[in-house]
Amino acid sequence: MGIHTLGECARLPRDGFARRFGSACLAQLDRALGRGQEVFKPYQPAAVFNRHIDFGAELSAADDIQSGLQMLLQELRAFLVQRQLAARCVRIRFEYLAHPPGELILELRSAVHSTQQLDELLRLKFDRYQWIAPVIGIRMEALTEALQSIATTGLLAGERQPVSSLWLFERLRARLGETAVHGLEPLADHRPEHAWQSTELAAVTEPELPGVMSGRDRPLWLLHEPVRLSVHEERPVYRGELLACGDVERIESGWWDGAGVKRSYFSARDTRQHRWWIYQDEQGWYLHGVFG
């Protein structure tokens, strides 16, 4: 078009420019040249909840300290509701008279809007927390983020709502510890003991099951080491004779890393209808897993 500079571009007829390149491009040119008023959104820092309660005395009873936590949780609930926010991390500092403050930190994989859920998680952590001295005050801080959606409650009173697996994991982590619960990541290996590894629990995906990952009917519970089975009349025995049922899964893999296997896996039942996962190789029969 023979246009080489912004000045030449700006001298073009505005109607023709908009028809050829679109009104959005014309508006962008006007903003660059300062022709129009540009409206900026006001800066809003991330909302941080920060409250403190002073007991005015040294408290050592867990019930008294828990009452102070409940007061701070009520303030947090009002803070989240008024601003339509959800809490991602809650940090509690227990203040002592002659010692540095102790911390109780609750980090969530998914932001929570309900303080009832926060209360439940904090109670689980609270039961395992040890104070080094009587507490004279509590400070609660919560990092928040914009609320994406709110789960609706049931129409009928007392109607139970479905519990997500992620919420179950949060409760287990609060009770058992941060490292006690983890996710599973499938690996490209047919050997059951090498087909998965532990990984950080994802916040947005549901965990896959090993049986689904492999495309086979595999149990969730694998033994740390396969157990050698005795044989009676050419049948494997474990708490009685085992009867194979279902299709066989044959595995020949691992020759490249020095841990090669040649196995034939079977689902087997005993006389009491317990279901086991067994395999046969050149050495004999082994128990490797248990079905639920």
Side-chain angles (χ1 to χ4, degrees):
M1 295 178 60
I3 303 298
H4 301 284
T5 65
L6 285 176
E8 293 174 348
C9 185
R11 287 191 291 270
L12 292 175
R14 296 179 59 83
D15 294 342
F17 187 95
R19 286 196 302 270
R20 180 177 291 272
F21 301 108
S23 57
C25 189
L26 180 61
Q28 183 180 9
L29 181 63
D30 288 341
R31 287 196 301 270
L33 298 176
R35 289 176 172 174
Q37 295 182 355
E38 188 168 1
V39 179
F40 294 95
K41 294 182 179 180
Y43 172 73
Q44 294 182 349
V48 178
F49 176 83
N50 190 336
R51 298 291 188 274
H52 176 265
I53 183 172
D54 188 358
F55 293 136
E58 293 183 309
L59 300 182
S60 56
D63 292 341
D64 296 335
I65 301 174
Q66 181 69 30
S67 298
L69 277 178
Q70 291 299 318
M71 295 174 61
L72 292 175
L73 275 175
Q74 292 178 6
E75 293 189 30
L76 177 59
R77 178 183 182 279
F79 182 88
L80 297 179
V81 171
Q82 292 171 4
R83 295 166 176 79
Q84 290 296 288
L85 297 174
R88 168 72 65 173
C89 176
V90 179
R91 184 189 304 269
I92 299 173
R93 288 187 174 92
F94 297 101
E95 299 175 349
Y96 308 110
L97 185 61
H99 300 277
E103 284 191 341
L104 190 154
I105 300 176
L106 179 62
E107 294 184 355
L108 303 172
R109 292 296 185 271
S110 179
V112 174
H113 176 71
S114 170
T115 53
Q116 181 179 0
Q117 293 179 332
L118 290 176
D119 182 33
E120 183 176 353
L121 294 178
L122 287 174
R123 285 180 183 273
L124 293 175
K125 281 185 168 291
F126 189 82
D127 292 340
R128 300 170 56 242
Y129 189 81
Q130 297 293 329
W131 297 279
I132 60 176
V135 178
I136 61 173
I138 301 177
R139 180 174 297 276
M140 178 182 289
E141 299 176 359
L143 298 180
T144 62
E145 61 184 44
L147 184 63
Q148 302 297 328
S149 61
I150 303 178
T152 57
T153 58
L155 177 62
L156 302 178
E159 183 178 352
R160 298 180 61 87
Q161 298 297 316
V163 179
S164 67
S165 58
L166 185 60
W167 173 239
L168 173 61
F169 296 147
E170 295 285 9
R171 295 174 60 188
L172 290 175
R173 289 173 64 245
R175 177 178 291 275
L176 303 177
E178 299 294 328
T179 61
V181 182
H182 55 78
L184 295 180
E185 179 181 3
L187 299 178
D189 200 315
H190 291 286
R191 294 170 294 181
E193 60 269 30
H194 299 287
W196 61 273
Q197 67 180 4
S198 61
T199 184
E200 184 69 15
L201 186 63
V204 294
T205 58
E206 297 290 336
E208 291 187 272
L209 303 181
V212 177
M213 292 186 293
S214 66
R216 296 281 187 172
D217 186 17
R218 290 185 173 184
L220 294 178
W221 184 1
L222 290 182
L223 304 182
H224 290 290
E225 294 291 339
V227 176
R228 182 71 179 266
L229 299 177
S230 59
V231 178
H232 176 68
E233 295 183 355
E234 299 184 355
R235 288 187 177 182
V237 176
Y238 184 74
R239 300 179 182 177
E241 290 191 1
L242 298 179
L243 180 62
C245 57
D247 297 331
V248 59
E249 179 183 358
R250 291 186 172 87
I251 297 176
E252 184 173 352
S253 182
W255 52 266
W256 57 86
D257 60 7
V261 298
K262 295 181 180 179
R263 302 170 181 169
S264 296
Y265 278 91
F266 301 86
S267 173
R269 295 185 182 275
D270 58 17
T271 55
R272 290 179 290 182
Q273 297 303 307
H274 295 156
R275 192 177 174 203
W276 312 94
W277 204 41
I278 62 176
Y279 71 82
Q280 184 183 29
D281 62 8
E282 297 174 352
Q283 305 300 323
W285 287 92
Y286 293 85
L287 173 65
H288 201 182
V290 182
F291 289 93

